């Protein structure tokens, strides 16, 4: 499993940092039945990845008899690096990484698909709002992304290219999410950027910027990206999945149960189950952030029809690694475990 950023210093630094972060975890092949499964999340406090911690809090991993250790990295690109290096058995991150990795010779697959929309929002600072009215205005601008080679980086490039702006005509700036993103927007080190809730809710509440493109709902995501866009998922090395099917099924059972629970409970009830420090803008604002993002989630964990094709088209629009490559989409996901869990 390779990473988009293997060629950059950022990924190397992330890999080195991961050694420290996961040092307490021990054996990288681990798990199977009775062992601990380590899952790296591309930002545990992001609402788009909420099912990871919520499943833990609801006790569904424990109910399935699987011990799960959740780790966090601020960007999906760094989370994937940890999977590639063998520090963890799974990643909760964007499905698009599985395509990018396949063309680099690494076989990874989504085993539970949390979402059928990207869940991302392009925001612009108040100062830049008059000059950035659509992606066609990205030229010459500094745009925040969680990390270079991350899914926010991918989607920003697609929006630009789709509106006639080449990727070299604007500057992506790695600013993470949460307070680091907000500070970059406040200080003017970025003109806008792509982020998720609860960061979006805090930006709007503090009146620091405005929403340019909202992809938190299937409708908004389809309008911006041309189709269903499966994003948040649990993805794992295909070889590991095939060798640990019983454990993977337990994980799928737990996650699908959580997705169903989310579909029948209010944002306030969901917020009440999450760690208190996730609601940095206050409980009410956090519940509002969850409400805005809830439409992106599936209820059964199954890959949406035509979703992989949309992701491939989006990536091929700007990614030279994929443009001339043949991607076997059937190997980038499996519905075997989610369908059994949902059934």
């Amino acid at each position: 499993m390779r990473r988009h950023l293997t060629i950059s210093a950022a990924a190397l630094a992330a890999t080195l940092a991961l050694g420290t972060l996961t040092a307490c975890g021990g054996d990288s092949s681990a798990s199977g039945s009775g062992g601990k499964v380590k899952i790296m999340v591309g930002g545990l406090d992001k609402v788009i990845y909420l099912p990871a911690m919520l499943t833990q809090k609801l006790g569904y991993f424990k109910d399935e008899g699987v011990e799960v250790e959740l780790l966090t990295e601020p960007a999906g690109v760094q989370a994937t690096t940890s999977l590639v290096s063998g520090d963890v058995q799974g990643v909760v991150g964007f499905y698009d990484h599985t395509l990018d990795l396949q063309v680099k010779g690494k076989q990874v697959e989504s085993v539970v698909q949390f979402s059928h929309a990207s869940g991302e929002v392009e925001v612009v600072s108040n100062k830049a709002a008059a000059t950035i009215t659509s992606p066609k205005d990205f030229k010459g601008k500094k745009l925040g992304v969680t990390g270079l080679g991350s899914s926010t980086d991918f989607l920003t490039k697609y929006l630009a290219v789709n509106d006639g702006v080449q990727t070299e005509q604007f500057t992506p700036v790695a600013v993470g999410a949460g307070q680091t993103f907000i500070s970059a927007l406040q200080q003017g080190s970025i003109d806008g950027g792509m982020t998720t809730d609860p960061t979006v809710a805090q930006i709007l509440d503090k009146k620091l910027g405005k929403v340019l493109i909202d992809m938190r709902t299937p409708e908004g995501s389809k309008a911006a990206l041309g189709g269903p866009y499966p994003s948040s998922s649990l993805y794992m090395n295909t070889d590991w999945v095939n060798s640990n099917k019983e454990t993977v099924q337990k994980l799928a059972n737990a996650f699908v149960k959580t997705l169903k629970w989310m579909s029948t409970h209010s944002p306030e009830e969901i917020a009440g189950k999450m760690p208190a420090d996730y609601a940095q803008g206050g409980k009410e604002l956090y519940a509002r952030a969850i409400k805005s993002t809830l439409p992106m989630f599936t209820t059964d964990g199954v890959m949406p029809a035509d979703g992989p094709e949309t992701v491939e088209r989006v990536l091929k629009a700007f990614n030279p690694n994929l443009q001339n490559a043949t991607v076997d989409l059937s190997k980038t996901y499996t519905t075997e475990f989610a369908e059994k869990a949902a059934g």
Side-chain angles (χ1 to χ4, degrees), residues 73-330:
E73 274 289 353
V77 58
Q78 295 160 339
T80 307
T81 300
S82 68
L83 185 66
V84 173
S85 61
D87 287 324
V88 298
Q89 287 75 50
V91 168
V92 169
F94 267 38
Y95 161 72
D96 55 18
H97 292 298
T98 68
L99 280 72
D100 189 64
L101 289 168
Q102 187 185 110
V103 300
K104 294 172 179 175
K106 306 295 180 181
Q107 196 55 58
V108 185
E109 61 187 15
S110 164
V111 295
V112 183
Q113 194 60 49
F114 297 164
S115 64
H116 50 173
S118 82
E120 299 285 350
V121 178
E122 184 73 23
V123 298
V124 293
S125 68
N126 291 331
K127 183 179 179 181
T131 57
I132 305 178
T133 59
S134 77
K136 72 178 186 297
D137 300 320
F138 284 177
K139 188 174 181 180
K141 300 299 192 293
K142 294 175 291 184
L143 301 175
V145 297
T146 51
L148 302 180
S150 66
S151 296
T152 51
D153 189 22
F154 286 172
L155 289 174
T156 301
K157 286 175 178 174
Y158 172 76
L159 293 175
V161 169
N162 195 49
D163 232 334
V165 179
Q166 298 308 304
T167 57
E168 64 272 12
Q169 292 180 310
F170 68 93
T171 305
V173 183
V175 293
Q179 193 52 52
T180 54
F181 186 101
I182 293 170
S183 295
L185 199 67
Q186 277 181 304
Q187 294 165 9
S189 52
I190 57 173
D191 300 298
M194 191 170 291
T195 191
T196 59
D197 276 314
T199 307
V200 176
Q202 292 175 43
I203 289 169
L204 297 180
D205 184 62
K206 295 176 180 178
K207 296 180 171 54
L208 299 176
K210 300 176 181 178
V211 170
L212 182 68
I213 300 170
D214 192 338
M215 298 179 283
R216 289 174 290 189
T217 65
E219 296 77 19
S221 196
K222 184 176 181 180
L225 304 173
Y229 199 88
S231 56
S232 306
S233 65
L234 169 66
Y235 59 84
M236 314 179 90
N237 285 317
T238 299
D239 285 347
W240 197 91
V241 171
N242 292 337
S243 301
N244 297 273
K245 287 199 170 191
E246 183 181 346
T247 300
V248 176
Q249 187 62 61
K250 290 177 180 179
L251 293 171
N253 292 345
F255 279 127
V256 170
K257 193 174 179 182
T258 296
L259 291 169
K260 289 180 178 178
W261 189 93
M262 288 167 60
S263 71
T264 58
H265 288 76
S266 70
E268 290 76 16
E269 289 172 316
I270 296 170
K273 293 289 184 181
M274 302 299 286
D277 61 349
Y278 285 17
Q280 291 188 6
K283 289 184 178 180
E284 185 180 334
L285 187 65
Y286 184 52
R288 201 186 314 160
I290 292 173
K291 182 178 181 180
S292 297
T293 303
L294 271 180
M296 74 176 279
F297 292 106
T298 67
T299 58
D300 58 8
V302 175
M303 177 65 73
D306 302 325
E309 287 78 8
T310 305
V311 173
E312 181 182 29
R313 178 178 49 75
V314 166
L315 293 181
K316 285 195 171 187
F318 67 85
N319 190 329
N321 291 330
L322 277 94
Q323 280 168 347
N324 299 313
T326 300
V327 180
D328 186 344
L329 292 176
S330 69

Side-chain angles (χ1 to χ4, degrees), residues 25-38:
D27 177 299
S28 66
S29 60
S31 200
S33 54
K36 179 182 289 185
V37 179
K38 289 184 289 181

